[in-house]
């Protein structure tokens, strides 16, 4: 069954991205997380994750992803934005992981239009939804904004387009714009809030902002202490962050 | 595909979660040669649940690394018999297990015994409110087994699991601090309750002041070091917050791995074959006896496994599907109401409130365990007067913190934008200061909520998928609306800055997208009347006495609790009947 072989390939790939440190038990606290020795100060303005070259997204798609996630979670004084958090890298890596390939979803036909409460019933795995969705969105932007792509719009125009996708006001020919937006928003939040081992949440910046201690996973002394905020900063599966 | 044939065994177990492990222990102890076939992988605490890798919300909590792979097999779903069902393509509403330990690996550990009257629910409502109280189309059924009969097996399962809790009714005497509504227990819980988390301190105070009866949730999360009757050792839970959807790296959460497998895997008359997906039960020509099972092995070979006893121990859906694929028992037909296999599918109806507190009240929501918190049972079962309310059933109401995993367990106040600067501000301002009050409500069975085989969609082996036809009924909505009013009162009394309610309303349909409960029940209901039950009171198939069907597929309707306590007790109850009656005289048990 070629389909199964392909799936095994994806799974191997997604396992391979788990750092060696994650496999070595407590000793992993000795490891330094890659490319993140000096965390930006809280509230720093957005800086692109320049060191990362996308494996899935082509250059125009990458420009869209960077621009879109920067609006979905903007940088400001509250805490890191999606760009500083490395969300584009996270999404790119997810495209070749089990999620992007819908590897553990039931993807046999027939595909029938159903009310939303029956969940995603589309034929395309998420990576193909992204590819088609970005193309359709840029085409829509060019039509609507004198030839400019989404990434070339100003922030308020970008917000206007994103709201149009979210509400269903913007429609694409061969794809549900709402579905595309749904995956984009879901993955952006995942990349912002998940463990840094997946490429997002650089330096556990979002965890520091909200107060989640991450993979500490030992709170026996902290049960039933009303009025006392847990004091320790977050750790990743890879160890201390920043 | 070439068919291989393996040497015969005395008993074959289909599926190796809780009931498979219990049956394996009990039947090997009786001297039988027992083979367990598990469709998924081998799993054990080390290496599969080891820290820190297991504390990965994305891989386990969101992507579902330990759950059933729907690419191979899923169910199809529709709301009414008139609709075309579509596949449950990605995990949402419920999370069946896969692999050794099954869903017993990634459960939370909420332990419950049903109320004595839950097991005789039809009799109870007829006695209290009259026959006319029961709506038309509702298949309200007694279970065919009584609480007192099951009590020793609840007790046994609790001691195997090392349940942490406080008895509310010890030998008929009500105990302070426990659930005053529970049936009489023969002994106290093996371990004291878990320590009380911040939010549950508020819940206890509020519910007590409202005149209710809070008690600590009984937990299969060990509050102390514990050695169970098989010599298996559990470590004390450290409230890591990675319990539901995860395996326990601390050996604290009771699972087949922590409680039974250390003994069972070493018994010479036991064998486990993983990656062995049973596709049917093989039947003798007369249809009165099973001859074994056929499975697909890891290499894709079709293998015939002869056995004298076939015990279905898979997840509820898969048990029912195997009966249908194997043509065991009469298929249920909603048009006529005749037939028993696929009958009485039920689910649960949950609701809750999110509570947002000021910054002087950090809840530290990541400090949690699968079953850490407090509960009231005042509005469950028939613990309150249903006469003026006009519905059947109820819900347990809890304040339990399973963890504060930021992707899945983030709550923001109503009106918060879904993205942008406003969303980010809201998660910063609310994450540490949020908690919830939840309700777990019963769902009754109905003539047109049922399971059968889908006419269109197939699994990877080319066999029809199971089809679920289900939607909420007026009785269930009335129940959850009533519970919502009680939850709102509790939420207010806990004193948050702000709260919001989420309870299903009239006209709402069953929604597959959002997690609600893995507590699917029915489809092979138990009972004493063969026209309304697929298995008898010992979970033995009527007319095919060498096939037994374990698990929640036997529930005639669903109660307001987590099912695992009942599932475990029923497995011990059936195992005793097999050992002490069936093996001496193989045939239909009286």
């Amino acid at each position: 069954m070629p389909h199964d072989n392909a799936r095994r390939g994806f799974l191997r790939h997604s396992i391979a991205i788990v750092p060696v440190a994650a496999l070595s038990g407590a000793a992993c606290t000795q490891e330094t997380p890659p490319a993140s020795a000096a965390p930006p100060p809280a509230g720093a303005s957005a800086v692109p994750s320049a060191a990362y070259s996308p494996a899935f997204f082509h250059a125009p798609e990458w420009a869209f992803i960077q621009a879109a996630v920067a609006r979905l979670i903007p940088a400001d004084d509250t805490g890191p934005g999606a760009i500083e958090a490395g969300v584009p890298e996270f999404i790119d890596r997810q495209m070749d992981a089990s999620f992007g390939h819908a590897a553990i979803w039931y993807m046999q036909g027939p595909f029938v239009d159903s009310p939303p409460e029956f969940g995603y019933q589309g034929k395309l795995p998420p990576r193909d939804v992204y590819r088609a969705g970005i193309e359709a969105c840029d085409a829509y932007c060019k039509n609507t904004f004198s030839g400019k792509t989404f990434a070339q719009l100003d922030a308020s125009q970008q917000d206007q387009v994103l709201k149009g996708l979210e509400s269903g006001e913007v429609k694409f020919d061969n794809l549900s714009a709402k579905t595309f937006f749904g995956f984009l928003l879901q993955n952006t939040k995942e990349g912002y809030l998940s463990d840094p081992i997946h490429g997002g949440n650089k330096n556990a910046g979002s965890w520091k902002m909200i107060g989640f201690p991450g993979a500490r996973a030992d709170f026996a002394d902290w049960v039933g202490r009303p009025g006392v905020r847990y004091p320790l900063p977050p750790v990743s599966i890879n160890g201390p962050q920043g | 595909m070439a068919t291989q044939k393996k040497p015969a065994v005395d008993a074959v177990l289909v599926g190796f979660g809780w009931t498979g492990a219990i049956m394996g222990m009990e039947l090997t102890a009786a001297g039988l040669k027992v083979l367990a076939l598990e469709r998924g992988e081998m799993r054990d605490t080390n290496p599969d649940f080891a820290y820190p890798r297991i504390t990965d919300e994305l891989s386990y909590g969101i992507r579902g690394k330990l759950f059933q792979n729907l690419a191979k097999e899923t169910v199809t779903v529709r709301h009414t018999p008139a609709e075309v069902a579509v596949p449950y393509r990605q995990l949402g509403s419920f999370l069946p297990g896969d692999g050794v330990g099954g869903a017993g690996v990634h459960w939370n550990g909420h332990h419950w015994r049903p109320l004595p009257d839950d097991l005789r629910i039809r009799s109870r409502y007829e006695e209290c409110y009259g026959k006319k109280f029961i709506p038309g189309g509702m298949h309200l059924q007694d279970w065919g087994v009584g609480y007192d009969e099951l009590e020793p097996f609840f007790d046994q399962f609790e001691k195997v699991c090392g349940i942490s809790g406080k008895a509310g009714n010890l030998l008929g005497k009500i105990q302070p601090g426990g659930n005053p509504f529970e049936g009489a227990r023969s002994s106290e819980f093996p371990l004291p309750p878990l320590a009380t988390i911040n939010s549950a301190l508020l819940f206890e105070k509020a519910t007590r002041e409202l005149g209710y009866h809070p008690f600590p949730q009984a937990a299969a999360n060990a509050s102390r070091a514990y050695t169970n009757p098989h010599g298996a050792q559990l470590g004390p839970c450290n409230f890591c917050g990675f319990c539901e959807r995860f395996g326990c790296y601390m050996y604290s959460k009771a699972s087949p791995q922590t409680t039974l497998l250390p003994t069972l895997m070493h018994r010479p008359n036991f064998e486990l074959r993983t990656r062995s997906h049973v596709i049917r039960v093989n039947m003798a020509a007369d249809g009165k006896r099973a001859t074994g099972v056929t499975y697909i092995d890891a290499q894709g070979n079709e293998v015939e496994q002869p056995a004298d006893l076939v015990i279905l121990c898979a997840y509820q859906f898969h048990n029912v599907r195997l009966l249908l694929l194997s043509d065991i028992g009469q298929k249920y037909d909603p048009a006529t109401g005749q037939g028993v296999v696929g009958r009485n599918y039920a689910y649960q109806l949950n609701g809750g409130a999110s509570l947002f507190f000021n910054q002087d009240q950090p809840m530290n929501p990541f400090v949690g365990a699968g079953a850490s918190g407090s509960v009231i049972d005042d509005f469950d079962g028939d613990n309150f007067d249903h006469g003026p309310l006009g519905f059947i059933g109820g819900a347990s109401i809890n304040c339990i913190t399973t963890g504060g995993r930021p992707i899945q367990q983030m709550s923001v106040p109503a009106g918060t934008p879904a993205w942008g600067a406003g969303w980010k501000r809201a998660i910063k301002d609310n994450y540490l200061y949020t908690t919830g009050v939840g309700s777990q409500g019963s769902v009754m069975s109905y003539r047109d909520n049922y399971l059968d085989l889908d006419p269109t969609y197939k699994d990877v082996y080319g066999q029809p998928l199971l089809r679920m036809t289900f939607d909420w009924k007026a009785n269930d909505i009335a129940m959850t609306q009533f519970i919502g009013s009680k939850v709102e009162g509790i939420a207010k009394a806990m004193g948050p800055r702000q709260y919001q309610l989420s309870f299903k309303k009239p006209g709402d349909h069953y929604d597959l997208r959002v997690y609600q409960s893995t507590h699917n029940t029915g489809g092979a209901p138990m009972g004493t009347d063969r026209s309304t039950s697929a298995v008898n009171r010992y979970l033995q198939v009527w007319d095919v006495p060498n096939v037994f069907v374990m698990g929640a597929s036997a529930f005639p309707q669903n109660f307001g609790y987590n099912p695992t306590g009942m599932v475990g007790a029923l497995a011990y109850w059936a195992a005793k009947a097999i050992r002490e009656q069936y093996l001496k005289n193989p045939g239909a048990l009286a």
Side-chain angles (χ1 to χ4, degrees):
Chain A
M1 288 182 283
H3 193 66
D4 267 356
N5 285 334
R7 187 177 310 133
R8 270 193 289 278
F10 317 144
L11 292 175
R12 248 198 317 278
H13 193 92
S14 67
I15 287 162
I17 66 172
V18 177
V20 173
L23 304 172
S24 62
C28 75
T29 53
Q30 304 298 317
E31 290 286 328
T32 305
S36 57
S45 61
V47 284
S49 44
Y52 182 79
S53 300
F56 173 77
F57 291 113
H58 305 139
E61 297 168 340
W62 190 236
F64 173 92
I65 291 288
Q66 304 243 6
V69 303
R71 295 314 306 153
L72 293 176
I73 309 179
D76 59 23
D77 290 344
T78 305
I83 296 292
E84 298 157 76
V87 167
E89 175 181 344
F90 170 87
I91 295 178
D92 185 64
R93 285 163 63 162
Q94 287 297 304
M95 294 299 99
D96 218 16
S98 163
F99 170 82
H101 290 275
I104 60 165
W105 298 1
Y106 184 83
M107 293 302 280
Q108 293 187 44
F111 295 89
V112 178
D113 276 340
S114 293
E117 60 264 28
F118 290 92
Y120 179 59
Q121 292 290 330
K123 196 180 291 189
L124 300 179
R127 67 195 324 248
D128 293 350
V129 171
Y130 269 89
R131 194 138 265 164
I134 293 171
E135 189 184 349
C137 189
D138 269 345
Y140 167 83
C141 292
K142 284 181 188 169
N143 269 334
T144 313
F145 300 98
S146 332
K148 287 183 176 171
T149 64
F150 180 85
Q152 291 166 336
L153 304 179
D154 67 37
S156 72
Q157 290 169 322
Q158 289 175 339
D159 284 355
Q160 183 190 330
V161 173
L162 291 171
K163 281 177 189 159
L165 301 178
E166 182 181 32
S167 67
E169 267 171 51
V170 173
K171 293 198 189 326
F172 300 154
D173 285 344
N174 300 316
L175 179 81
S176 158
K178 269 182 114 157
T179 297
F180 167 58
F181 181 83
F183 284 143
L184 179 67
L185 180 59
Q186 174 196 338
N187 295 148
T188 299
K189 290 182 179 176
E190 287 168 357
Y192 192 66
L193 295 168
S194 62
D195 194 286
I197 62 168
H198 299 288
N201 194 13
K202 301 283 185 206
N203 311 302
S206 75
W207 291 355
K208 286 173 195 161
M209 178 185 83
I210 63 174
F212 176 60
R216 288 195 179 275
D218 177 8
F219 304 115
D221 296 341
W222 284 87
V223 184
R225 290 171 73 166
V228 186
R229 185 176 162 161
Y230 180 82
L232 299 179
V235 296
S236 156
I237 288 169
N238 269 349
Q241 294 294 301
Chain B
M1 277 186 281
T3 298
Q4 301 176 11
K5 189 165 180 174
K6 296 279 188 185
V9 295
D10 297 323
V12 65
L13 311 175
V14 179
F16 199 51
W18 268 122
T19 63
I22 288 170
M23 272 291 157
M25 287 289 282
E26 296 301 301
L27 298 185
T28 52
L32 267 52
K33 184 173 168 51
V34 178
L35 167 68
L37 298 173
E38 164 57 44
R39 64 184 173 185
E41 300 167 0
M42 181 60 206
R43 288 198 178 121
D44 209 347
T45 306
N46 183 22
D48 300 290
F49 318 141
Y51 179 83
R53 203 175 62 238
I54 194 69
T55 62
D56 177 359
E57 182 186 15
L58 185 77
S59 297
Y60 295 91
I62 307 296
R63 301 287 185 255
K65 205 167 168 180
L66 299 176
F67 306 145
Q68 184 181 331
N69 178 353
L70 299 186
K72 290 185 174 177
E73 179 197 332
T74 186
V75 295
T76 67
V77 184
R78 57 183 180 173
H79 288 140
T80 69
E83 295 167 28
V84 173
V86 294
Y88 179 53
R89 293 189 180 273
Q90 55 183 124
L91 289 166
S93 175
F94 48 84
L95 305 170
D98 195 305
V100 167
V105 164
H106 55 75
W107 71 317
N108 267 322
H110 295 207
H111 176 80
W112 290 96
R113 301 175 174 196
L115 296 162
D117 283 331
D118 283 338
L119 302 182
R120 51 182 300 280
I121 187 167
R122 182 169 198 100
S123 302
R124 168 77 181 194
Y125 275 89
E126 286 185 0
E127 286 160 16
C128 292
Y129 310 107
K131 285 188 186 211
K132 285 187 179 155
F133 196 81
I134 300 165
M138 184 189 280
H139 282 177
L140 199 66
Q141 291 176 210
D142 291 353
W143 293 55
V145 62
Y147 176 86
D148 291 344
E149 291 177 295
L150 289 179
E151 202 287 329
F153 306 99
F154 289 123
D155 188 67
Q156 184 174 4
F157 189 53
E158 286 161 8
K159 289 185 164 69
V160 164
C161 290
I163 302 289
S164 308
K166 177 76 193 81
N169 181 346
L170 204 50
L171 300 167
K173 211 174 155 197
I174 300 302
Q175 306 291 308
N179 180 6
F181 301 101
E182 71 175 354
R185 341 176 128 260
S186 53
S187 59
E188 182 52 275
F189 285 101
L191 290 174
L194 290 168
T196 311
I197 52 176
N198 286 355
S199 50
L201 292 170
L202 292 176
F203 177 87
E204 281 186 0
K205 183 167 179 288
T207 50
R208 194 165 283 125
E209 283 171 5
L210 288 164
Y212 308 148
H213 302 85
F215 58 95
Q217 170 67 47
N221 316 138
S223 61
R224 305 277 190 278
Y226 179 72
T227 303
N228 84 0
H230 302 301
Q233 295 181 322
L234 281 80
C237 171
N238 69 358
F239 292 81
C240 80
F242 291 88
C243 202
E244 64 185 342
R245 301 178 176 229
F246 304 83
C248 178
Y249 76 91
M250 289 289 290
Y251 297 85
S252 304
K253 180 169 70 179
S255 66
Q257 280 85 348
T258 53
T259 58
L260 298 170
L261 303 197
T263 306
L264 178 58
M265 297 302 281
H266 293 105
R267 288 193 175 159
N269 53 339
F270 177 76
E271 185 190 351
L272 166 65
R273 288 183 209 146
T274 56
R275 302 179 69 195
S276 301
H277 189 112
V278 174
I279 57 168
R280 67 176 166 271
V281 179
N282 301 321
M283 298 294 291
D286 63 2
K288 300 287 184 199
R289 196 172 59 86
T291 59
V293 300
T294 294
Y295 68 92
I296 309 291
D297 74 9
Q299 283 76 42
N301 301 307
E302 195 170 304
V303 181
E304 184 187 342
Q305 176 60 58
D308 290 336
L309 256 175
V310 174
I311 305 183
L312 303 185
C313 299
Y315 187 74
Q316 172 259 355
F317 285 131
H318 201 53
N319 279 348
V320 177
R321 181 163 174 261
L322 277 173
L323 292 173
L324 291 168
L325 290 173
S326 313
D327 212 14
I328 297 174
Q330 192 192 343
K331 292 179 176 63
Y332 176 70
D333 178 356
T336 62
Q338 305 294 305
V340 291
V341 180
R343 185 186 163 95
N344 282 28
Y345 169 76
Y347 195 44
Q348 285 183 324
L349 186 44
N350 302 343
S354 294
L355 285 68
F356 304 97
F357 289 86
N358 288 327
Q359 302 213 342
D360 58 352
Q361 283 182 287
M363 291 294 145
N364 297 332
F366 42 83
V367 180
S372 59
S374 294
V375 201
I376 61 165
D377 214 18
D378 297 68
F379 302 105
D380 196 11
D382 193 33
N383 296 341
F384 56 105
D385 183 6
H386 286 71
L389 299 169
F391 64 82
I392 290 170
S396 53
I397 298 173
N398 63 62
C399 179
I400 286 171
T401 299
T402 60
R405 303 186 308 275
I407 303 172
Q408 201 204 356
Q409 298 181 310
M410 185 79 78
S411 241
V412 287
T416 300
W419 50 275
W423 174 79
K424 189 166 77 173
R425 182 83 228 170
I427 66 171
K428 180 179 184 176
D429 288 348
N430 289 287
Y431 170 75
L432 274 182
Y433 313 99
T434 306
T435 194
V437 174
S439 71
Q440 178 165 214
S442 58
V443 164
M444 300 303 127
S445 299
Y446 299 88
R447 181 164 171 157
D448 55 355
N449 282 346
Y450 67 103
L451 305 172
D452 66 354
L453 293 176
D454 191 275
T456 306
Y457 293 96
K458 312 265 193 245
D459 67 10
V460 288
Y461 308 114
Q463 301 209 102
L465 296 182
L466 192 72
R467 174 170 66 178
M468 177 205 296
T469 303
F470 177 78
D471 209 351
W472 309 119
K473 304 289 187 182
N475 180 84
D476 312 324
I477 298 289
M479 177 281 295
T480 204
Q481 283 289 308
F482 171 75
I483 295 296
S485 70
K486 300 299 172 188
V487 168
E488 179 164 24
I490 295 166
K492 277 184 190 164
M494 287 169 70
R497 172 184 89 236
Q498 190 177 349
Y499 69 88
Q500 63 210 33
L501 299 173
S502 174
F503 286 86
K504 293 279 184 281
K505 298 178 188 67
D508 283 350
H509 294 289
Y510 172 48
D511 188 330
L512 278 172
R513 293 170 296 180
V514 182
Y515 184 75
Q516 291 169 78
S517 165
T518 301
H519 308 157
N520 293 285
T521 60
M526 65 188 294
T528 54
D529 177 350
R530 61 172 65 206
S531 71
T532 57
S533 59
V535 295
N536 66 19
R537 66 198 299 262
Y538 301 106
L539 309 185
Q540 180 185 42
V541 175
W542 296 106
D543 298 328
V544 188
N546 70 335
V547 176
F548 289 76
V549 188
M550 300 297 112
S553 51
F555 291 16
Q557 56 272 316
N558 213 342
F559 42 51
Y561 299 129
N562 304 65
T564 305
M566 183 63 176
V567 164
L570 280 177
Y572 280 114
W573 155 258
K576 184 168 193 280
I578 292 171
R579 288 176 61 165
E580 296 182 3
Q581 297 177 60
Y582 178 87
L583 291 178
K584 286 175 189 152
N585 184 17
L589 297 171

